[in-house]
Amino acid sequence: MNLDSRKLKILTAIVEIYIETGEPVSSKMLNQRLDLSVSPATIRNDMSALFDLGLLEQPHTSAGRVPSHLGYRIYVDQLMRPKPISEEERRQIDALFNVRDPDPDRLLEDAAEALADFTNCATVSTTITPKSVLVKRIEIVPAGIRTVVILLIATNGVIKNRVCRVDFRVTGEILEFLNQFTNGRLVGKSVNEISQRYINAIAVTLGDYSQLFTPVLAAVYDLCREVNEGQFYASGGENLLGYREFGDIARELLQTMHDKDQILGLIGSKKDAVFITIGKENTKSELTDTSVVVTKYRIGAQNEGAIGVIGPVRMDYAKLIPHLEYFSRTLGKLLAETFEQQE
């Protein structure tokens, strides 16, 4: 789509004014904003041309225009000038993590909440487990006469634990056997490959003891699945209720935001470090009036994560993207340090 420089300036101004005000933009407003040395009639003609190209829309009977979702896409891809994050803003983000729990799950949850407060949008925070992650060690320790604690450590530094009640008396001899058995069958195996079928298959090799030890093996399987699925937290859904464009779809939008499979499907379908889906580019109908901005980040050598913002299409992309990139890099660094401390 070829547009001359004046039309590009007009489109940029309309997007930025609408982001600031949320009100349709008139030719008079553009004439005051831009120094184009042309008549208001020329500006109106250029706005009509942008409208005909599908880059602008006219809401109801208003004399003004608003950007279409295609108009936003051209703005984000070609016209937007990111607003550099200031040192003060960096310090504000750093301060969000100054008091933090060493538990990675808690850190991710706190990050989602902090970003929701910072952006006044909804946020999601997740880790993504590569298929190369293996079971490093399993420890089964006594917690009572008929209770054990199962600790699973993965090669990416993630540690999971679970309390498991059993139908036998916990003795040192039984614990030694269970530790040798589970480590012998699972250590060095990819958490992605440890399926329910595989657990059932190794349970069969226990013979008459299969049913007795099934609760322990089931708990080990659940821990492997948790490591493989990564962590996922959503926060700030109530922020969306403050935007008038979400009035009719707020309930559906909140349900989608907390649907882990749908959100991970959206994130996993993209390979870029930063990606944005705008309005109707979202395949889910309840997201067609939203924009989703996601940044991916590294957590050490074997992990990656993603943190994203869900908000109105008229969000301030130029400001949000640099902030989100810095936020995600900081979170990735802290998570890497936390995983290293736990090993």
Side-chain angles (χ1 to χ4, degrees):
M1 185 179 295
N2 294 320
L3 298 173
D4 61 50
S5 61
R6 191 176 65 225
K7 289 186 179 64
L8 291 174
K9 288 181 180 179
I10 289 173
L11 177 60
T12 300
I14 290 174
V15 171
E16 293 178 349
I17 292 173
Y18 187 62
I19 286 173
E20 293 171 10
T21 67
E23 299 294 335
V25 182
S26 66
S27 59
K28 181 179 179 181
M29 295 171 68
L30 288 171
N31 198 38
Q32 294 172 342
R33 176 99 166 210
L34 299 173
D35 182 18
L36 295 176
S37 301
V38 297
S39 67
T42 300
I43 293 177
R44 286 195 294 271
N45 289 337
D46 284 342
M47 292 175 71
S48 295
L50 293 170
F51 178 84
D52 293 339
L53 290 169
L55 303 180
L56 299 180
E57 295 175 347
Q58 183 175 17
H60 310 301
T61 58
S62 169
R65 299 289 191 275
V66 300
S68 68
H69 296 179
L70 179 58
Y72 279 112
R73 172 51 64 189
I74 290 180
Y75 170 78
V76 168
D77 290 348
Q78 302 178 24
L79 307 174
M80 179 184 71
R81 294 183 179 180
K83 302 172 184 177
I85 183 169
S86 68
E87 285 303 317
E88 176 59 28
E89 289 169 328
R90 290 175 189 269
R91 285 193 290 269
Q92 290 175 0
I93 294 174
D94 292 342
L96 298 174
F97 295 104
N98 281 345
V99 180
R100 63 183 189 272
D101 194 301
D103 177 12
D105 289 350
R106 185 63 189 173
L107 183 55
L108 279 165
E109 186 175 9
D110 289 346
E113 293 177 359
L115 187 60
D117 292 340
F118 195 76
T119 62
N120 198 35
C121 291
T123 60
V124 292
S125 178
T126 181
T127 57
I128 303 169
T129 304
K131 294 181 179 179
S132 59
V133 173
L134 313 176
V135 175
K136 183 176 181 179
R137 188 168 79 251
I138 296 172
E139 293 182 10
I140 304 174
V141 298
I145 297 175
R146 295 182 181 275
T147 308
V148 297
V149 174
I150 304 170
L151 186 73
L152 186 144
I153 304 173
T155 55
N156 61 347
V158 174
I159 299 174
K160 294 289 182 180
N161 63 79
R162 177 162 298 193
V163 176
C164 179
R165 289 192 58 82
V166 294
D167 293 329
F168 54 84
R169 187 179 180 86
V170 177
T171 66
E173 184 180 3
I174 290 177
L175 287 177
E176 182 180 359
F177 169 77
L178 286 173
N179 276 293
Q180 290 180 352
F181 180 82
T182 54
N183 280 276
R185 299 299 194 281
L186 297 174
V187 166
K189 193 168 184 65
S190 168
V191 293
N192 181 63
E193 296 176 349
I194 298 175
S195 62
Q196 185 67 64
R197 177 178 295 182
Y198 180 77
I199 293 295
N200 291 340
I202 64 173
V204 170
T205 65
L206 290 169
D208 294 339
Y209 295 100
S210 174
Q211 186 172 357
L212 190 63
F213 294 146
T214 290
V216 174
L217 294 178
V220 170
Y221 166 71
D222 287 340
L223 294 176
C224 291
R225 187 181 60 185
E226 288 179 13
V227 173
N228 186 49
E229 291 179 349
Q231 292 84 31
F232 175 85
Y233 296 98
S235 186
E238 65 280 1
N239 291 337
L240 301 181
L241 302 178
Y243 296 99
R244 62 179 182 270
E245 49 262 74
F246 298 144
D248 296 333
I249 61 168
R251 182 176 179 180
E252 293 82 358
L253 188 56
L254 293 179
Q255 289 176 340
T256 298
M257 194 191 84
H258 288 276
D259 189 321
K260 178 179 178 180
D261 292 338
Q262 287 195 37
I263 296 299
L264 289 181
L266 174 64
I267 293 173
S269 65
K270 308 292 185 180
K271 301 300 182 184
D272 299 330
V274 180
F275 63 89
I276 306 166
T277 52
I278 300 173
K280 295 173 184 175
E281 295 172 354
N282 291 297
T283 57
K284 300 296 294 182
S285 60
E286 55 270 30
L287 293 176
T288 56
D289 286 320
T290 72
S291 281
V292 181
V293 183
V294 176
T295 58
K296 290 187 175 181
Y297 55 89
R298 299 299 305 175
I299 310 171
Q302 291 198 69
N303 293 282
E304 65 177 16
I307 191 161
V309 172
I310 302 171
V313 174
R314 60 183 177 91
M315 66 172 62
D316 190 350
Y317 303 94
K319 179 180 180 180
L320 175 65
I321 293 171
H323 282 73
L324 193 57
E325 288 178 316
Y326 183 78
F327 194 98
S328 65
R329 286 197 300 270
T330 303
L331 177 59
K333 180 181 178 181
L334 293 176
L335 283 170
E337 292 173 355
T338 303
F339 285 149
E340 288 174 1
Q341 292 170 4
Q342 290 188 339
E343 288 191 88

